Amino acid sequence: MKQILITLAVCLLLACHSNNDEPYLLQGAWTLRQVEFPYDRPNAYYEQENTLLRLYDGDSVVYQCWLNKTESGLIIKPELKCSVTLIDKGRGEHIYLEGSDPRPLTVVNDSMIVIQQEGIRYTFHRADDIAKEWGADIIGIVAANVQKGITSDVPSYVLSAKERRQASVINGFILSTVAGLILMLLIVRIAVQNRRAKRMLQLQLQQIQEVWHERPQTVRQAIESVESAYFASDDYEVLQRRIATGQRLKDEDWHNIESQLMKVYPGFSSQLRGLYTMSELEYQVCLLIKLRIAPSDMAAVLARDASTISTVRSRLYRKVFGQKGGAREWDEFVLSIGA
């Protein structure tokens, strides 16, 4: 009857605290430091060579073993794995159940708890260093031992700190090696892509030059005739005057310039943009070069310093050809492409 009443009381407390979202209280490792008996009996246990260790998975499962610390590592002897229920009564007092056996549990501070069983007080201290370094290994060993059902002549297991350090060094070496290989592969891939892009660009430049040199004399004469007609036209003269006076060109003016050049040099824009992804400023500089506009007038109409215009042209040559070159060399190249 008494056991039934205790069970009913525990169930009621569980129902009252089923929505408790507080962090886990017992999570981690705890070592038994002291056992106090009632009725003024002497204390029977202090932490000695063999220490009782409990590892909690949240507040729901406990893994227990005997632990012996040595200079070279740990020796553990698995004991049990048990379900746990923790019920908060407030003010640091809890009801603690291993299986179905209720026991009072008192939280002394963040690193000490006291569990009572049949009047005996068991004091446990946190062992964060053990939980951090060996927790997963110990839980695995205890769980495997319980699964095998070994209850007598339980074997001891040695956890070597030296082997652990060696494993850590090996894992670190493997990770750094893999990272190095990945980085090397990325570098090789980028180098291959750059080489491929440079080869494609060289092929484009070669095709442009071949197209120009392979043109029949009659085609060249026709192009020169169209060029001469355009540069003698009223449209070009008006544009020249506007640029010479330093007037800023609007978007519609740039569209008009591009369309006029397309009539004279049908392939100019596509060939130019196919070489390199240009900014708006770089493209406008190339249009003005093709129009035979002086660098000083380019600077005025684009509201840039003359040095900036020179830098843009030399930079374009370096990016397209992959080698150093001056602004004048870029101008000669732009003037050579077109139809």
Side-chain angles (χ1 to χ4, degrees), residues 112-292:
M112 185 188 302
I113 59 173
V114 177
I115 301 175
Q116 295 187 46
Q117 184 178 12
E118 297 179 355
I120 304 173
R121 292 166 54 88
Y122 298 87
T123 301
F124 289 87
H125 285 213
R126 277 195 181 277
D128 291 337
D129 55 335
I130 295 176
K132 182 178 180 181
E133 186 170 0
W134 305 99
D137 295 329
I138 295 174
I139 287 176
I141 291 172
V142 175
N145 189 80
V146 171
Q147 187 175 9
K148 292 176 182 177
I150 302 174
T151 57
S152 59
D153 297 327
V154 178
S156 297
Y157 298 83
V158 178
L159 301 178
S160 172
K162 182 178 179 180
E163 290 180 1
R164 191 175 188 85
R165 286 194 295 269
Q166 289 176 343
S168 178
V169 171
I170 292 172
N171 290 336
F173 175 75
I174 292 173
L175 287 175
S176 60
T177 302
V178 171
L181 288 174
I182 292 174
L183 180 60
M184 188 179 298
L185 289 173
L186 287 174
I187 293 173
V188 170
R189 181 178 179 182
I190 292 172
V192 170
Q193 290 176 339
N194 289 339
R195 186 179 302 173
R196 188 178 300 166
K198 188 174 182 180
R199 193 181 300 120
M200 290 291 295
L201 179 59
Q202 290 174 344
L203 181 60
Q204 287 177 308
L205 294 174
Q206 183 179 351
Q207 289 175 344
I208 290 173
Q209 293 174 352
E210 289 176 353
V211 167
W212 174 257
H213 291 297
E214 291 178 1
R215 283 171 179 160
Q217 184 65 27
T218 54
V219 174
R220 293 188 184 186
Q221 291 176 348
I223 292 174
E224 291 173 359
S225 176
V226 173
E227 284 181 335
S228 299
Y230 173 69
F231 290 120
S233 66
D234 294 338
D235 290 338
Y236 182 72
E237 185 178 350
V238 170
L239 179 62
Q240 280 276 41
R241 283 201 301 268
R242 291 187 61 187
I243 292 176
T245 56
Q247 295 183 32
R248 293 290 303 275
L249 300 179
K250 300 177 182 178
D251 290 342
E252 59 186 32
D253 296 322
W254 288 110
H255 290 314
N256 184 50
I257 290 173
E258 189 175 27
S259 63
Q260 291 294 331
L261 285 176
M262 287 289 289
K263 294 177 183 178
V264 182
Y265 311 104
F268 173 73
S269 181
S270 60
Q271 290 177 359
L272 187 65
R273 288 189 180 277
L275 296 174
Y276 166 71
T277 305
M278 298 183 179
S279 67
E280 193 64 24
L281 174 63
E282 291 172 335
Y283 183 63
Q284 290 173 351
V285 167
C286 293
L287 293 179
L288 294 176
I289 293 171
K290 198 66 173 174
L291 289 171
R292 279 65 167 180

Side-chain angles (χ1 to χ4, degrees), residues 298-313:
M298 290 185 198
V301 77
L302 293 172
R304 297 289 197 283
D305 294 334
S307 59
T308 301
I309 301 303
S310 178
T311 300
V312 169
R313 290 147 63 208

